[in-house]
Amino acid sequence: MTIHVMKTVSEGTKQIIKRRARMEGLDVLFSEHSALALINGNVSDLIYASDLAQKASTVEVFEISGNCPQHMTCLAILGDAAAVDEAVKRIESEKW
């Protein structure tokens, strides 16, 4: 798995994510939360990482579609900086 964390997200990056995300209400979520982690990996790893993140802290987790709608290639974790950091630490502690 590859993990990238952004403490703040540029407007252009938000627009890219909004076009590819399977999540309603992202405008509101982006206005409430500043930090975003992106995780790339295989489907089972991403589902497990989603579960770990949500159990570790108060974050919003959603998928970002790849080239084909049926392929989940990226997981997004959105929240305040501390919550995203905590979620990422939990995922990294279980890295396989």
Side-chain angles (χ1 to χ4, degrees):
M1 282 191 324
T2 305
I3 301 174
H4 298 285
V5 177
M6 294 174 265
K7 298 296 183 182
T8 61
V9 184
S10 69
E11 287 303 316
T13 301
K14 289 176 186 178
Q15 293 305 316
I16 292 168
I17 292 169
K18 288 177 198 175
R19 283 192 300 272
R20 303 197 67 79
R22 294 182 180 182
M23 177 76 166
E24 292 187 27
L26 276 178
D27 287 326
V28 173
L29 291 174
F30 274 127
S31 70
E32 294 173 348
H33 305 291
S34 59
L36 177 73
L38 298 174
I39 304 174
N40 181 268
N42 67 47
V43 173
S44 62
D45 288 346
L46 295 179
I47 291 170
Y48 186 58
S50 172
D51 188 60
L52 291 172
Q54 292 177 73
K55 289 175 179 175
S57 64
T58 305
V59 291
E60 296 288 336
V61 179
F62 56 94
E63 70 178 286
I64 298 175
S65 299
N67 292 334
C68 299
Q70 65 268 30
H71 291 108
M72 183 166 73
T73 59
C74 190
L75 182 71
I77 301 172
L78 184 63
D80 64 42
V84 170
D85 283 342
E86 187 63 31
V88 168
K89 283 179 191 172
R90 179 70 175 105
I91 292 165
E92 288 177 331
S93 75
E94 296 274 334
K95 232 174 187 176
W96 35 101

